[in-house]
Amino acid sequence: MKWLGQITASLLAVLALASLGTYWALLPPAVPVPAAMDRMISDVTVLNPGQPARLHQTILIKDGLISDIRDLRSDDEPPICSGCLVMPGLIDAHVHTPPAIALGNQRLFSLLYLKYGVTSVRDVGQLDDSVAKLADRIDRGTIAGPRMYRCGPALDGDPPSFTGAEAILTAEGGAERVRQLADAGVDCIKVYDTVPRESLDGIQSSAAELGLPLIGHTPHSVKLSELENFELQHFTGVSYLHSPPPESASYRSEDIQAMSPDEVTELIAVMKRNKVSILPTLANLMARLTAADQGRFPATPGMAHLPQIWEIAWPTIVSHPQNETEIEIEVDVFPKLLELLRLAREADVDVLAGSDVIMPWVVPGESLHLEMMHLGRAFDDNDQALRSATAVNGRHIDDGKIGTLSVGAFADMLILQADPRLDLRALLDWQFLIVGGRLYTKGEIDAALERYDQHFQGRFYKTIMGGAYSWLASDYAHQSGE
């Protein structure tokens, strides 16, 4: 992901030479954002995943919050959706926001989240400093998008592993940087592969003192068994309880495949004892197979909404299987990963849902649906998959405020005609979506996305941005080969 920093700097130089008119022409058309309004949602079935459904309920919204949920009354307003269900909006707990220089893509990604019913996202490693500004603009209603939470930059060793990450070299430096990030309003702290043990100690203690969740990769400087109250991203560290991890990768799939039943049992016990949760990003793992062999693992329909620049940039962001042997390793380990997650959930270890948006072939919003499909297979229970993407995510990100339909929570919800517990695909056919009291219809979002498709797939955007990215990717490939 280091190349994103290089491309950002280069594109800034290119655009500095371009006319202001060209810059504005590369931005997509504005999407009207509805005003936040007090409203009544009457005669609906309230569905909080993991709990019994409540029939014939009325939800009252005031000042962007749920002010009451009660039984239907004879004098309630007519329902806006006859016979419908209401559930908490979906939460993607692991995304990366495009850098601002990928012109228009922050707005595109935000709109795509809404298309797929995602009302909250958490950025877990910013690529530039624009994420806080984007979150503020969405919150103020100048850009259509989901509620945004953020960790700020990932904290890593020297040199940092990817664009936007920061090297933390001492315990004092770690503690101070966490305090600075807290003052800047972050919602979590993320650590990465090469952060030193001493630095991690300072980061952990400061995050705990300030009440900030600590998430990330299992650093190579410690074993997973040494971490407590930690939200594990991907499967980093799970197979290295008694051996060092590989120096050149976060983890290897073949090492997980080689775990014995006793080692798996020990892993689950460690996670439960130490309050370690896991966010696996299964959809991202499958998307890397698409990067390896599109014939065998075709792209998803949502790819039609992403501009050409991402197919140019992705090969420079992260590696993927390079041959049939490596592909088969990833295919063969997938059932083992699902089994690990099943055992974790049965042991009351929290399993979160996140997509790792910005990784190759991972489409905003759509990939969270694929993640839930995989979790539904792992748990053999759609309701528990929905719970991961709502209640579990919400408890880890903003407890009591998102991922739940309850008094005092944000008014973030999906209004559906069919029950997604029976078929997760019902989530794609939502009728109304509410974010903080702002109500969108499916028709409005679909129409806005059609305009975005015309913009990003149009000749002007393809010529200017596609040409710039192609030139810079070629230059990167040339430098890498030297």
Side-chain angles (χ1 to χ4, degrees), residues 331-369:
V331 171
D332 290 346
V333 78
F334 207 75
K336 181 73 166 279
L337 302 180
L338 298 183
E339 176 68 4
L340 286 176
L341 296 174
R342 180 186 68 80
L343 294 171
R345 194 196 70 78
E346 289 178 353
D348 292 326
V349 171
D350 279 350
V351 179
L352 291 84
S355 65
D356 212 357
V357 160
I358 221 171
M359 291 294 105
W361 305 93
V362 176
V363 177
E366 181 191 48
S367 289
L368 184 63
H369 285 250

Side-chain angles (χ1 to χ4, degrees), residues 222-269:
V222 299
K223 291 182 172 59
L224 183 61
S225 55
E226 299 174 80
L227 295 172
E228 296 182 357
N229 299 306
F230 185 68
E231 187 189 303
L232 177 66
Q233 306 299 295
H234 320 297
F235 292 90
T236 59
V238 301
S239 55
Y240 307 112
L241 294 181
H242 302 290
S243 61
E247 294 184 2
S248 58
S250 297
Y251 71 93
R252 289 186 302 231
S253 294
E254 52 265 45
D255 294 335
I256 296 177
Q257 183 72 291
M259 292 177 70
S260 69
D262 287 346
E263 289 172 327
V264 170
T265 298
E266 181 186 12
L267 167 68
I268 301 301

Side-chain angles (χ1 to χ4, degrees), residues 44-258:
V44 292
T45 296
V46 171
L47 176 60
N48 276 305
Q51 300 179 24
R54 297 166 56 188
L55 306 179
H56 302 299
Q57 298 293 293
T58 291
I59 302 173
L60 300 180
I61 298 172
K62 184 175 179 59
D63 298 329
L65 302 175
I66 296 174
S67 62
D68 197 9
I69 302 176
R70 57 167 173 75
D71 292 337
L72 177 69
R73 297 175 183 170
S74 59
D75 59 347
D76 282 348
E77 297 174 3
I80 64 172
C81 186
S82 180
C84 283
L85 300 91
V86 182
M87 64 170 284
L90 303 175
I91 304 165
D92 193 329
H94 189 122
V95 308
H96 299 278
T97 303
I101 201 62
L103 294 179
N105 279 265
Q106 290 186 345
R107 297 187 187 187
L108 171 62
F109 281 36
S110 298
L111 184 61
L112 282 169
Y113 288 128
L114 296 185
K115 171 182 171 56
Y116 291 102
V118 178
T119 58
S120 294
V121 299
R122 180 179 63 177
D123 186 290
V124 296
Q126 66 185 34
L127 303 176
D128 65 10
D129 293 330
S130 66
V131 178
K133 184 179 295 185
L134 174 64
D136 179 65
R137 295 186 69 186
I138 291 174
D139 187 57
R140 289 188 288 108
T142 59
I143 291 179
R147 191 178 306 280
M148 288 194 72
Y149 297 85
R150 59 193 180 88
C151 295
L155 305 183
D156 203 4
D158 189 22
S161 303
F162 66 90
T163 299
E166 297 181 2
I168 305 295
L169 304 182
T170 65
E172 294 77 12
E176 176 59 25
R177 188 65 181 116
V178 170
R179 287 191 287 269
Q180 292 171 353
L181 290 171
D183 290 341
V186 303
D187 305 287
C188 46
I189 299 295
K190 183 181 181 181
V191 294
Y192 215 69
D193 289 343
T194 63
V195 64
R197 174 62 182 266
E198 179 185 2
S199 304
L200 179 63
D201 289 342
I203 292 167
Q204 274 186 301
S205 62
S206 188
E209 178 184 340
L210 295 168
L212 288 171
L214 185 65
I215 78 170
H217 293 202
T218 301
H220 290 182
S221 59
V222 299
K223 291 182 172 59
L224 183 61
S225 55
E226 299 174 80
L227 295 172
E228 296 182 357
N229 299 306
F230 185 68
E231 187 189 303
L232 177 66
Q233 306 299 295
H234 320 297
F235 292 90
T236 59
V238 301
S239 55
Y240 307 112
L241 294 181
H242 302 290
S243 61
E247 294 184 2
S248 58
S250 297
Y251 71 93
R252 289 186 302 231
S253 294
E254 52 265 45
D255 294 335
I256 296 177
Q257 183 72 291

